[in-house]
Amino acid sequence: MPIAALRDACRPSSEIASNIAYHSRYSPHFSPLKFDPEQAFYAAAESVRDRLIQSWNETFLHFHKADPKQTYYLSMEYLQGRALSNAIGNLGIRDAYADALTKLGHQLEKVAEQEKDAALGNGGLGRLASCFLDSMATLNLPAWGYGLRYRYGLFKQKISKEGQEELAEDWLEKFSPWEVVRHDIVFPIRFFGHVEVSPTGSRKWVGGEVIQALAYDVPIPGYKTKNTISLRLWEAKASAEDFNLFQFNDGQYDSAAQLHSKAQQICAVLYPGDATEDGKILRLKQQFFLCSASLQDIIFRFKERRDGKGAWQWSNFPDKVAVQLNDTHPTLAIPELMRLLMDDEGLGWDEAWDITSRTIAYTNHTVLPEALEKWSQSIMAKLLPRHLEIIKEIDKRFIAMVMSGSTGMESKIATMRILDDSNPQKPVVRMANLCVVSSHKVNGVAQLHSDILKSELFADYVSIWPTKFQNKTNGITPRRWLRFCNPDLSDIISKWLKTDEWITNLDILTGLRQFADNEELHAEWASAKMASKYRLAQYVLQVTGVTIDPNSLFDIQVKRIHEYKRQLLNILGAVYRYKKLKEMSIEERKKTTPRTIMLGGKAFATYTNAKRIVKLVNDVGAAVNNDPDVNSYLKVVFVPNYNVSVAEMLIPGSELSQHISTAGMEASGTSNMKFSLNGCLIIGTLDGANVEIREEIGEENFFLFGAKADEVPRLRKEREAGLFKTDPRFEEAKLYIRSGVFGSYDYNPLLDSLEGNSGYGRGDYFLVGHDFPSYMDAQARVDEAYKDRKRWLKMSILSTAGSGKFSSDRTIAQYANEIWGIKPCPAP
C-alpha cells in the first residue's frame, strides 16, 4: 500500500490501527514509500510491544516491592516460535489487531507469517522451556528465564539431492522487534587466568580474558493476566577499551580486534562442533557464560531488593531464590555460585555450600550416556581453574560423607563420585553426578523416566538421599498448542463444553467424553480436521512441491533425527508398504488405506547415520511420489526445516503420529502430547510419556507395539549373541533398499548398523529388527481402524478428552509447590 493511502486509512481507524501506523512512520526500519506485509509485521509487533512493556514494567516493579521468592530457569535452549500471534492471543486482542490490520490493507495471517522463528533452540528441551515460561506467566508466578542470544541458531535445514545441508539461521538478519537491550545490565565474565592465594588463605581468580555479558530481555505475557515476565538472553561483547587502535592503524587488523572476535564466537551458534579442543573450549565457554552472567544478575537483584531493609543475611538467599537447571548444560552454576559466595562475598565453605545446595535443583532429561555430559579435567583446568578446584573439593567432601555415613557403599564410590580418574590420560568431570550431589531436588520428566533414574542411573544416590528424587511429567501450553494453532477445533471444544475455561484448566476436556458418540460432534470434528488437512496440504506443496491428498491418512513423525527415535523404523515400514503395493493388482490397491507419511526434523551436522536417514527418507519419497502405479495410495514427504511454526501447521492436520523410540530411551517427549491434544492418534512404544498418555486416553485408543523397557537389556544381549532371528519382512525391506531401487547412494553402512550378528555398528542397539514385525502389525491395525470413520472419530475425540494431565500449567504448579516453594504474585 502506498504511504499516502496508508495515511488516509488511518484517519478514521481505531486506536490500534493508529498505533501501528505511528510505528510505521516513527519507528522506521524501511523505506517510507511502502507498507508491505513485512513492514506491517514490524509495525504491528512494536505496537504490541508497547502494550507489553507497560505490563512488563509493572510486573517487575511489583516483584521488586513484594520481594517474593523467585524462580530463575537456566536453559541453553528456548524454542519460542512466532511471538506476534501468541502475544495478541494471550492478551485477548487478536480480533482487534486483525480488524486494525484489515483497515490498513493487510490480513493478520499474512502479516504474522512474516515473522521468523527465534533460533534459540533445537528440539524438545527448548520447546519445553518455552512452554514452561508461558505457564509461569499465566499462573502469575514470580519467575524469569535465562538463556543465550544465539546469532545464527543451530542451523537452517535445506534439503537437496545430496540430503540435508546446513545453513546459518537468519532470524536476526534484520532485528527482533520483541527484545529490549538493557545497556545498564552488564556483567564481566572471566576465562582462563589463574588462582591467586592470599597470605590469609583466601583464593581469587585473576588474569585471563574478560568478556562482557549484555542483557537482552524478551517479554513473556501470561494468558489473560497482567503478569508479563522476562526471558533474559545474554550476548557476549568486548568493550571499546579492548580494541587496540595502535595495532589496527599498524595494519594488524585481526590482532587489534582479537577479543571482540572471541566474544562474537560465544553466542554465534547453538552447540558448536566439539570434535577439536577449540570446539570443546567454545562449548564450555557458552555454558559458563550463561551460568556466570545469570548468577551475577540473580545476586545483584537479591541485594537490590535488600537495600533499605535493614540487616539481612546470606543464609536467607535460598528463601528468596530458586534456581532450576534444565538438564546438565547449566551445571557450572553450582561451582560458580560457590565461587561468587566465597571469593566475592567472603563466605566460608560450609555456609556457601549450604546456600548453594538449598538453592539449586536439577532436571534430568536423558538416560543416554552420550547426553550425560562429561568434561575433560584438563580443559576445565585451563579455562576455569578456580571452578575445577571447587569441584574437586565437592568431590572430596562427598567421598568423605559416603565413607563416614553409609556402610557398604565403598565399592560404589568409583561410579558415584564427580571426578572420573579411571583413565589417567583423560580424567573427566561427570556433570550429572555433580548435579545430583549438589542439588536439593532431582527430577525426571515422565513417570517411567523417573523410575529408571531411581532404579538404575542414580540408584546408589537414592539409597543416601531417598527424598531428593521426584517426578514431574512434562506438559505443553494449551494456548499455543491448541487454542491458537487450531482455532477451528478449539471453537468446537468450547461450544460443546459450553466454556473456554479449558484453556487454563485442561482437565475440563474430560467433559468431551460424554459426547464421544455424538454424530453431530463427529461431523463438526471431521470438518475441522479436514480444514486443517487442506491447509497442511497447501503448505507441503509450497515447501516441497509434492501434492498430497487430504483424503488420505496423514501419518506424521516430526522430531530431532536420532537413531533412538527410530525414524529408520518408520521409513523401513514405508519401504515395505511400497514394495507390497507394487506387487498388488489394481483392485487390491483400491482396498488399501491411502496414506501420506510425513517426516521432519534436523540431524546434527556431524551425526552421520542421522543424516543418512534424512537422505533415505527423501530418496524413498522421490521414488514413491513419482511412481504412477502407487502414488494414489502412498506418498512419502520430508518436511524441511522443522521448527515451532512448522509444527503449528503439521499438528492440527495430523491424524496418526509416530512416537516409536526404543523403550526406556525417551525421557518424556512433548510432541506426543501436542498431537494427542489435537485429536491425533498415536502409534508408539511404552516409552517416556507415551505410558501416561495411553493410561489417560485409554488403551483402546493407542496403537501399541514393541518391547518394554525392562526387556530391552536381555534382547540386546540375545541379539549380540546371535540368538535372534529377524522377521522376513524386515529382511525384505532392507534387501529392497540394497537393490538400488531408491538410487545409487550407498546405504550399506546405515543398513549394516542393523545387522546385530555381523559385527557392524552397535549390533542393532536400538532394536529396530526386533520391533519391526510388531510395528507392522500395529500399522495394519491402524489401516483397519481408519476405514471405520465413526470409530476413528470417537478415538480422536477421546484422545483430546484424555489430554488434560499434559498441561504445562499442571507441571509448573507442581514445580512451584514441590521443588521451588514459590507462590503466585499477581501484579495489581
Side-chain angles (χ1 to χ4, degrees), residues 415-443:
T415 55
M416 295 175 70
R417 62 178 299 197
I418 298 160
L419 301 178
D420 181 1
D421 300 324
S422 58
N423 183 349
Q425 277 70 48
K426 294 182 179 179
V428 297
V429 179
R430 299 170 173 138
M431 305 303 268
N433 290 22
L434 177 56
C435 285
V436 172
V437 169
S438 309
S439 301
H440 65 90
K441 291 290 185 294
V442 176
N443 71 280

PDB file of all heavy atoms in Angstrom, residues 415-443:
ATOM      1  N   THR A 415      31.906 -45.074  40.871  1.00  0.00           N
ATOM      2  CA  THR A 415      30.923 -44.647  39.862  1.00  0.00           C
ATOM      3  C   THR A 415      30.071 -43.480  40.333  1.00  0.00           C
ATOM      4  O   THR A 415      29.479 -42.768  39.516  1.00  0.00           O
ATOM      5  CB  THR A 415      29.984 -45.815  39.493  1.00  0.00           C
ATOM      6  OG1 THR A 415      29.372 -46.317  40.685  1.00  0.00           O
ATOM      7  CG2 THR A 415      30.762 -46.930  38.816  1.00  0.00           C
ATOM      8  N   MET A 416      30.023 -43.251  41.651  1.00  0.00           N
ATOM      9  CA  MET A 416      29.192 -42.172  42.188  1.00  0.00           C
ATOM     10  C   MET A 416      29.918 -40.841  42.250  1.00  0.00           C
ATOM     11  O   MET A 416      29.277 -39.788  42.161  1.00  0.00           O
ATOM     12  CB  MET A 416      28.724 -42.528  43.604  1.00  0.00           C
ATOM     13  CG  MET A 416      27.795 -43.716  43.678  1.00  0.00           C
ATOM     14  SD  MET A 416      27.412 -44.134  45.396  1.00  0.00           S
ATOM     15  CE  MET A 416      26.392 -42.734  45.871  1.00  0.00           C
ATOM     16  N   ARG A 417      31.211 -40.871  42.392  1.00  0.00           N
ATOM     17  CA  ARG A 417      31.934 -39.620  42.589  1.00  0.00           C
ATOM     18  C   ARG A 417      31.868 -38.733  41.354  1.00  0.00           C
ATOM     19  O   ARG A 417      31.563 -39.177  40.240  1.00  0.00           O
ATOM     20  CB  ARG A 417      33.377 -39.888  42.997  1.00  0.00           C
ATOM     21  CG  ARG A 417      34.195 -40.637  41.967  1.00  0.00           C
ATOM     22  CD  ARG A 417      35.624 -40.827  42.424  1.00  0.00           C
ATOM     23  NE  ARG A 417      36.287 -39.536  42.632  1.00  0.00           N
ATOM     24  CZ  ARG A 417      37.612 -39.396  42.707  1.00  0.00           C
ATOM     25  NH1 ARG A 417      38.413 -40.457  42.599  1.00  0.00           N
ATOM     26  NH2 ARG A 417      38.143 -38.211  42.884  1.00  0.00           N
ATOM     27  N   ILE A 418      32.177 -37.456  41.530  1.00  0.00           N
ATOM     28  CA  ILE A 418      32.062 -36.463  40.458  1.00  0.00           C
ATOM     29  C   ILE A 418      33.226 -36.570  39.482  1.00  0.00           C
ATOM     30  O   ILE A 418      33.048 -36.445  38.272  1.00  0.00           O
ATOM     31  CB  ILE A 418      31.983 -35.050  41.062  1.00  0.00           C
ATOM     32  CG1 ILE A 418      30.723 -34.927  41.929  1.00  0.00           C
ATOM     33  CG2 ILE A 418      31.990 -33.985  39.975  1.00  0.00           C
ATOM     34  CD1 ILE A 418      30.770 -33.796  42.925  1.00  0.00           C
ATOM     35  N   LEU A 419      34.418 -36.794  40.007  1.00  0.00           N
ATOM     36  CA  LEU A 419      35.612 -36.900  39.160  1.00  0.00           C
ATOM     37  C   LEU A 419      35.823 -38.349  38.752  1.00  0.00           C
ATOM     38  O   LEU A 419      35.788 -39.253  39.588  1.00  0.00           O
ATOM     39  CB  LEU A 419      36.839 -36.389  39.904  1.00  0.00           C
ATOM     40  CG  LEU A 419      36.777 -34.933  40.392  1.00  0.00           C
ATOM     41  CD1 LEU A 419      38.047 -34.585  41.145  1.00  0.00           C
ATOM     42  CD2 LEU A 419      36.559 -33.977  39.233  1.00  0.00           C
ATOM     43  N   ASP A 420      36.029 -38.558  37.479  1.00  0.00           N
ATOM     44  CA  ASP A 420      36.315 -39.895  36.958  1.00  0.00           C
ATOM     45  C   ASP A 420      37.775 -39.927  36.519  1.00  0.00           C
ATOM     46  O   ASP A 420      38.131 -39.367  35.479  1.00  0.00           O
ATOM     47  CB  ASP A 420      35.388 -40.201  35.786  1.00  0.00           C
ATOM     48  CG  ASP A 420      35.622 -41.601  35.211  1.00  0.00           C
ATOM     49  OD1 ASP A 420      36.497 -42.320  35.739  1.00  0.00           O
ATOM     50  OD2 ASP A 420      34.929 -41.963  34.245  1.00  0.00           O
ATOM     51  N   ASP A 421      38.605 -40.572  37.327  1.00  0.00           N
ATOM     52  CA  ASP A 421      40.037 -40.666  37.035  1.00  0.00           C
ATOM     53  C   ASP A 421      40.422 -42.059  36.550  1.00  0.00           C
ATOM     54  O   ASP A 421      41.599 -42.435  36.591  1.00  0.00           O
ATOM     55  CB  ASP A 421      40.849 -40.322  38.300  1.00  0.00           C
ATOM     56  CG  ASP A 421      40.570 -38.910  38.793  1.00  0.00           C
ATOM     57  OD1 ASP A 421      40.371 -38.026  37.955  1.00  0.00           O
ATOM     58  OD2 ASP A 421      40.541 -38.705  40.027  1.00  0.00           O
ATOM     59  N   SER A 422      39.446 -42.838  36.104  1.00  0.00           N
ATOM     60  CA  SER A 422      39.724 -44.219  35.713  1.00  0.00           C
ATOM     61  C   SER A 422      40.676 -44.299  34.534  1.00  0.00           C
ATOM     62  O   SER A 422      41.411 -45.270  34.385  1.00  0.00           O
ATOM     63  CB  SER A 422      38.420 -44.948  35.387  1.00  0.00           C
ATOM     64  OG  SER A 422      37.709 -44.283  34.354  1.00  0.00           O
ATOM     65  N   ASN A 423      40.648 -43.271  33.667  1.00  0.00           N
ATOM     66  CA  ASN A 423      41.615 -43.190  32.572  1.00  0.00           C
ATOM     67  C   ASN A 423      42.570 -42.045  32.898  1.00  0.00           C
ATOM     68  O   ASN A 423      42.228 -40.877  32.691  1.00  0.00           O
ATOM     69  CB  ASN A 423      40.912 -42.935  31.243  1.00  0.00           C
ATOM     70  CG  ASN A 423      41.879 -42.909  30.065  1.00  0.00           C
ATOM     71  OD1 ASN A 423      43.099 -42.873  30.237  1.00  0.00           O
ATOM     72  ND2 ASN A 423      41.336 -42.920  28.858  1.00  0.00           N
ATOM     73  N   PRO A 424      43.760 -42.344  33.439  1.00  0.00           N
ATOM     74  CA  PRO A 424      44.680 -41.280  33.859  1.00  0.00           C
ATOM     75  C   PRO A 424      45.041 -40.310  32.747  1.00  0.00           C
ATOM     76  O   PRO A 424      45.374 -39.150  33.007  1.00  0.00           O
ATOM     77  CB  PRO A 424      45.916 -42.056  34.340  1.00  0.00           C
ATOM     78  CG  PRO A 424      45.414 -43.431  34.642  1.00  0.00           C
ATOM     79  CD  PRO A 424      44.311 -43.689  33.671  1.00  0.00           C
ATOM     80  N   GLN A 425      44.964 -40.777  31.488  1.00  0.00           N
ATOM     81  CA  GLN A 425      45.281 -39.899  30.358  1.00  0.00           C
ATOM     82  C   GLN A 425      44.139 -38.931  30.045  1.00  0.00           C
ATOM     83  O   GLN A 425      44.369 -37.867  29.477  1.00  0.00           O
ATOM     84  CB  GLN A 425      45.594 -40.725  29.099  1.00  0.00           C
ATOM     85  CG  GLN A 425      47.033 -41.225  29.015  1.00  0.00           C
ATOM     86  CD  GLN A 425      47.312 -42.303  30.054  1.00  0.00           C
ATOM     87  OE1 GLN A 425      46.539 -43.247  30.189  1.00  0.00           O
ATOM     88  NE2 GLN A 425      48.408 -42.159  30.786  1.00  0.00           N
ATOM     89  N   LYS A 426      42.905 -39.303  30.424  1.00  0.00           N
ATOM     90  CA  LYS A 426      41.757 -38.460  30.097  1.00  0.00           C
ATOM     91  C   LYS A 426      40.780 -38.384  31.273  1.00  0.00           C
ATOM     92  O   LYS A 426      39.633 -38.826  31.184  1.00  0.00           O
ATOM     93  CB  LYS A 426      41.043 -39.002  28.858  1.00  0.00           C
ATOM     94  CG  LYS A 426      41.869 -38.926  27.581  1.00  0.00           C
ATOM     95  CD  LYS A 426      41.074 -39.425  26.386  1.00  0.00           C
ATOM     96  CE  LYS A 426      41.885 -39.323  25.100  1.00  0.00           C
ATOM     97  NZ  LYS A 426      41.129 -39.827  23.914  1.00  0.00           N
ATOM     98  N   PRO A 427      41.208 -37.848  32.413  1.00  0.00           N
ATOM     99  CA  PRO A 427      40.268 -37.706  33.532  1.00  0.00           C
ATOM    100  C   PRO A 427      39.171 -36.693  33.198  1.00  0.00           C
ATOM    101  O   PRO A 427      39.423 -35.698  32.522  1.00  0.00           O
ATOM    102  CB  PRO A 427      41.158 -37.221  34.672  1.00  0.00           C
ATOM    103  CG  PRO A 427      42.307 -36.546  33.995  1.00  0.00           C
ATOM    104  CD  PRO A 427      42.535 -37.295  32.720  1.00  0.00           C
ATOM    105  N   VAL A 428      37.946 -36.954  33.671  1.00  0.00           N
ATOM    106  CA  VAL A 428      36.819 -36.107  33.321  1.00  0.00           C
ATOM    107  C   VAL A 428      36.016 -35.725  34.568  1.00  0.00           C
ATOM    108  O   VAL A 428      36.159 -36.322  35.635  1.00  0.00           O
ATOM    109  CB  VAL A 428      35.873 -36.806  32.304  1.00  0.00           C
ATOM    110  CG1 VAL A 428      36.591 -37.073  30.998  1.00  0.00           C
ATOM    111  CG2 VAL A 428      35.298 -38.095  32.888  1.00  0.00           C
ATOM    112  N   VAL A 429      35.167 -34.715  34.378  1.00  0.00           N
ATOM    113  CA  VAL A 429      34.180 -34.315  35.383  1.00  0.00           C
ATOM    114  C   VAL A 429      32.826 -34.805  34.909  1.00  0.00           C
ATOM    115  O   VAL A 429      32.405 -34.508  33.793  1.00  0.00           O
ATOM    116  CB  VAL A 429      34.139 -32.782  35.562  1.00  0.00           C
ATOM    117  CG1 VAL A 429      33.080 -32.400  36.594  1.00  0.00           C
ATOM    118  CG2 VAL A 429      35.497 -32.237  35.959  1.00  0.00           C
ATOM    119  N   ARG A 430      32.135 -35.563  35.753  1.00  0.00           N
ATOM    120  CA  ARG A 430      30.800 -36.058  35.415  1.00  0.00           C
ATOM    121  C   ARG A 430      29.774 -35.017  35.865  1.00  0.00           C
ATOM    122  O   ARG A 430      29.495 -34.849  37.050  1.00  0.00           O
ATOM    123  CB  ARG A 430      30.526 -37.382  36.125  1.00  0.00           C
ATOM    124  CG  ARG A 430      31.476 -38.515  35.764  1.00  0.00           C
ATOM    125  CD  ARG A 430      31.227 -39.653  36.735  1.00  0.00           C
ATOM    126  NE  ARG A 430      31.952 -40.866  36.397  1.00  0.00           N
ATOM    127  CZ  ARG A 430      32.557 -41.630  37.300  1.00  0.00           C
ATOM    128  NH1 ARG A 430      32.544 -41.270  38.584  1.00  0.00           N
ATOM    129  NH2 ARG A 430      33.165 -42.728  36.938  1.00  0.00           N
ATOM    130  N   MET A 431      29.205 -34.320  34.895  1.00  0.00           N
ATOM    131  CA  MET A 431      28.342 -33.187  35.226  1.00  0.00           C
ATOM    132  C   MET A 431      27.028 -33.635  35.874  1.00  0.00           C
ATOM    133  O   MET A 431      26.514 -32.968  36.781  1.00  0.00           O
ATOM    134  CB  MET A 431      28.070 -32.355  33.974  1.00  0.00           C
ATOM    135  CG  MET A 431      29.332 -31.877  33.255  1.00  0.00           C
ATOM    136  SD  MET A 431      30.443 -30.917  34.312  1.00  0.00           S
ATOM    137  CE  MET A 431      29.856 -29.260  33.971  1.00  0.00           C
ATOM    138  N   ALA A 432      26.454 -34.743  35.422  1.00  0.00           N
ATOM    139  CA  ALA A 432      25.214 -35.220  36.035  1.00  0.00           C
ATOM    140  C   ALA A 432      25.448 -35.593  37.498  1.00  0.00           C
ATOM    141  O   ALA A 432      24.614 -35.300  38.362  1.00  0.00           O
ATOM    142  CB  ALA A 432      24.656 -36.408  35.256  1.00  0.00           C
ATOM    143  N   ASN A 433      26.581 -36.222  37.795  1.00  0.00           N
ATOM    144  CA  ASN A 433      26.897 -36.576  39.184  1.00  0.00           C
ATOM    145  C   ASN A 433      27.047 -35.326  40.043  1.00  0.00           C
ATOM    146  O   ASN A 433      26.602 -35.285  41.191  1.00  0.00           O
ATOM    147  CB  ASN A 433      28.186 -37.405  39.233  1.00  0.00           C
ATOM    148  CG  ASN A 433      28.014 -38.796  38.653  1.00  0.00           C
ATOM    149  OD1 ASN A 433      27.108 -39.036  37.870  1.00  0.00           O
ATOM    150  ND2 ASN A 433      28.880 -39.720  39.042  1.00  0.00           N
ATOM    151  N   LEU A 434      27.674 -34.301  39.471  1.00  0.00           N
ATOM    152  CA  LEU A 434      27.822 -33.036  40.194  1.00  0.00           C
ATOM    153  C   LEU A 434      26.454 -32.444  40.515  1.00  0.00           C
ATOM    154  O   LEU A 434      26.225 -31.936  41.616  1.00  0.00           O
ATOM    155  CB  LEU A 434      28.656 -32.058  39.361  1.00  0.00           C
ATOM    156  CG  LEU A 434      28.867 -30.650  39.931  1.00  0.00           C
ATOM    157  CD1 LEU A 434      29.484 -30.693  41.324  1.00  0.00           C
ATOM    158  CD2 LEU A 434      29.750 -29.820  38.976  1.00  0.00           C
ATOM    159  N   CYS A 435      25.530 -32.527  39.560  1.00  0.00           N
ATOM    160  CA  CYS A 435      24.171 -32.014  39.791  1.00  0.00           C
ATOM    161  C   CYS A 435      23.473 -32.783  40.894  1.00  0.00           C
ATOM    162  O   CYS A 435      22.824 -32.191  41.771  1.00  0.00           O
ATOM    163  CB  CYS A 435      23.357 -32.112  38.499  1.00  0.00           C
ATOM    164  SG  CYS A 435      23.775 -30.884  37.251  1.00  0.00           S
ATOM    165  N   VAL A 436      23.572 -34.095  40.857  1.00  0.00           N
ATOM    166  CA  VAL A 436      22.869 -34.913  41.842  1.00  0.00           C
ATOM    167  C   VAL A 436      23.422 -34.669  43.245  1.00  0.00           C
ATOM    168  O   VAL A 436      22.672 -34.516  44.213  1.00  0.00           O
ATOM    169  CB  VAL A 436      22.970 -36.402  41.470  1.00  0.00           C
ATOM    170  CG1 VAL A 436      22.404 -37.280  42.592  1.00  0.00           C
ATOM    171  CG2 VAL A 436      22.220 -36.676  40.174  1.00  0.00           C
ATOM    172  N   VAL A 437      24.740 -34.604  43.361  1.00  0.00           N
ATOM    173  CA  VAL A 437      25.368 -34.401  44.666  1.00  0.00           C
ATOM    174  C   VAL A 437      25.030 -33.028  45.237  1.00  0.00           C
ATOM    175  O   VAL A 437      24.844 -32.876  46.451  1.00  0.00           O
ATOM    176  CB  VAL A 437      26.900 -34.581  44.547  1.00  0.00           C
ATOM    177  CG1 VAL A 437      27.616 -34.113  45.813  1.00  0.00           C
ATOM    178  CG2 VAL A 437      27.238 -36.045  44.268  1.00  0.00           C
ATOM    179  N   SER A 438      24.915 -32.027  44.380  1.00  0.00           N
ATOM    180  CA  SER A 438      24.834 -30.636  44.837  1.00  0.00           C
ATOM    181  C   SER A 438      23.426 -30.080  44.932  1.00  0.00           C
ATOM    182  O   SER A 438      23.222 -29.050  45.577  1.00  0.00           O
ATOM    183  CB  SER A 438      25.654 -29.743  43.894  1.00  0.00           C
ATOM    184  OG  SER A 438      26.969 -30.246  43.713  1.00  0.00           O
ATOM    185  N   SER A 439      22.433 -30.690  44.288  1.00  0.00           N
ATOM    186  CA  SER A 439      21.088 -30.134  44.232  1.00  0.00           C
ATOM    187  C   SER A 439      20.230 -30.646  45.381  1.00  0.00           C
ATOM    188  O   SER A 439      20.432 -31.758  45.868  1.00  0.00           O
ATOM    189  CB  SER A 439      20.416 -30.503  42.905  1.00  0.00           C
ATOM    190  OG  SER A 439      21.160 -30.020  41.801  1.00  0.00           O
ATOM    191  N   HIS A 440      19.243 -29.837  45.767  1.00  0.00           N
ATOM    192  CA  HIS A 440      18.334 -30.290  46.826  1.00  0.00           C
ATOM    193  C   HIS A 440      17.213 -31.155  46.282  1.00  0.00           C
ATOM    194  O   HIS A 440      16.588 -31.923  47.017  1.00  0.00           O
ATOM    195  CB  HIS A 440      17.763 -29.104  47.611  1.00  0.00           C
ATOM    196  CG  HIS A 440      16.874 -28.195  46.825  1.00  0.00           C
ATOM    197  ND1 HIS A 440      15.519 -28.386  46.725  1.00  0.00           N
ATOM    198  CD2 HIS A 440      17.151 -27.075  46.108  1.00  0.00           C
ATOM    199  CE1 HIS A 440      14.984 -27.425  45.986  1.00  0.00           C
ATOM    200  NE2 HIS A 440      15.960 -26.615  45.595  1.00  0.00           N
ATOM    201  N   LYS A 441      16.930 -31.049  44.953  1.00  0.00           N
ATOM    202  CA  LYS A 441      15.946 -31.900  44.319  1.00  0.00           C
ATOM    203  C   LYS A 441      16.434 -32.282  42.929  1.00  0.00           C
ATOM    204  O   LYS A 441      17.051 -31.476  42.221  1.00  0.00           O
ATOM    205  CB  LYS A 441      14.585 -31.197  44.191  1.00  0.00           C
ATOM    206  CG  LYS A 441      13.856 -30.970  45.516  1.00  0.00           C
ATOM    207  CD  LYS A 441      13.358 -32.276  46.104  1.00  0.00           C
ATOM    208  CE  LYS A 441      12.518 -32.040  47.351  1.00  0.00           C
ATOM    209  NZ  LYS A 441      13.295 -31.481  48.474  1.00  0.00           N
ATOM    210  N   VAL A 442      16.156 -33.528  42.544  1.00  0.00           N
ATOM    211  CA  VAL A 442      16.459 -34.034  41.207  1.00  0.00           C
ATOM    212  C   VAL A 442      15.171 -34.632  40.670  1.00  0.00           C
ATOM    213  O   VAL A 442      14.524 -35.434  41.350  1.00  0.00           O
ATOM    214  CB  VAL A 442      17.560 -35.121  41.240  1.00  0.00           C
ATOM    215  CG1 VAL A 442      17.790 -35.701  39.845  1.00  0.00           C
ATOM    216  CG2 VAL A 442      18.853 -34.553  41.806  1.00  0.00           C
ATOM    217  N   ASN A 443      14.774 -34.237  39.464  1.00  0.00           N
ATOM    218  CA  ASN A 443      13.529 -34.778  38.920  1.00  0.00           C
ATOM    219  C   ASN A 443      13.690 -35.296  37.509  1.00  0.00           C
ATOM    220  O   ASN A 443      14.471 -34.767  36.711  1.00  0.00           O
ATOM    221  CB  ASN A 443      12.399 -33.738  38.952  1.00  0.00           C
ATOM    222  CG  ASN A 443      12.558 -32.611  37.956  1.00  0.00           C
ATOM    223  OD1 ASN A 443      13.312 -31.679  38.200  1.00  0.00           O
ATOM    224  ND2 ASN A 443      11.847 -32.699  36.852  1.00  0.00           N
TER     225      ASN A 443
END
